[in-house]
Amino acid sequence: MPKPIHFLRNLVVLFASMGAIDCLMAKPGSPSPLAVVYALVFAALVFGWCKAHAAARGNDPPAGAAIMAAFLAPIGVPLYFLRSMPVGQALWSSAKALLFFAGLLAIHTVTAMLFELLPI
């Protein structure tokens, strides 16, 4: 099974490409034409990360935690941590995950701003 870091790197690539594609394809004020595709790829990557993270720690993820993390990441990832780690470690990991999600949004925004500067 791939290492959890590979899934996180793919999430960074996904959000950077989302910023670029949205800038080039989406009309201002309307949702991205590929929003469903992005959501499915995001869910698959988070699900894979959850499984790989649990495997790297030498255990199985709690029942339903990977599905919850995939489809409701802001709730599911902290829930996965709380169900699979001691409370202190789970809270710290949840804080790091929140910062990672904020970083993904920043990557999307910066990429979109950079592609707006291109003379196309």
Side-chain angles (χ1 to χ4, degrees):
M1 169 150 273
K3 293 182 180 180
I5 192 75
H6 298 307
F7 290 100
L8 298 178
R9 287 181 187 147
N10 287 335
L11 281 169
V12 170
V13 170
L14 173 69
F15 273 76
S17 63
M18 283 170 44
I21 293 170
D22 286 349
C23 180
L24 298 173
M25 291 182 63
K27 296 175 183 155
S30 65
S32 171
L34 298 174
V36 174
V37 174
Y38 297 152
L40 292 174
V41 173
F42 177 80
L45 288 173
V46 173
F47 180 84
W49 169 83
C50 189
K51 293 285 195 177
H53 184 264
R57 295 187 66 212
N59 56 13
D60 290 329
I67 295 290
M68 179 69 121
F71 291 105
L72 274 166
I75 296 169
V77 171
L79 180 66
Y80 161 72
F81 287 140
L82 286 169
R83 292 179 63 196
S84 65
M85 298 177 179
V87 174
Q89 185 180 4
L91 293 175
W92 176 243
S93 295
S94 296
K96 291 190 299 187
L98 179 63
L99 288 173
F100 182 74
F101 287 138
L104 290 176
L105 293 176
I107 288 169
H108 178 274
T109 303
V110 168
T111 306
M113 288 181 354
L114 289 173
F115 269 79
E116 284 179 7
L117 297 174
L118 290 177
I120 296 176

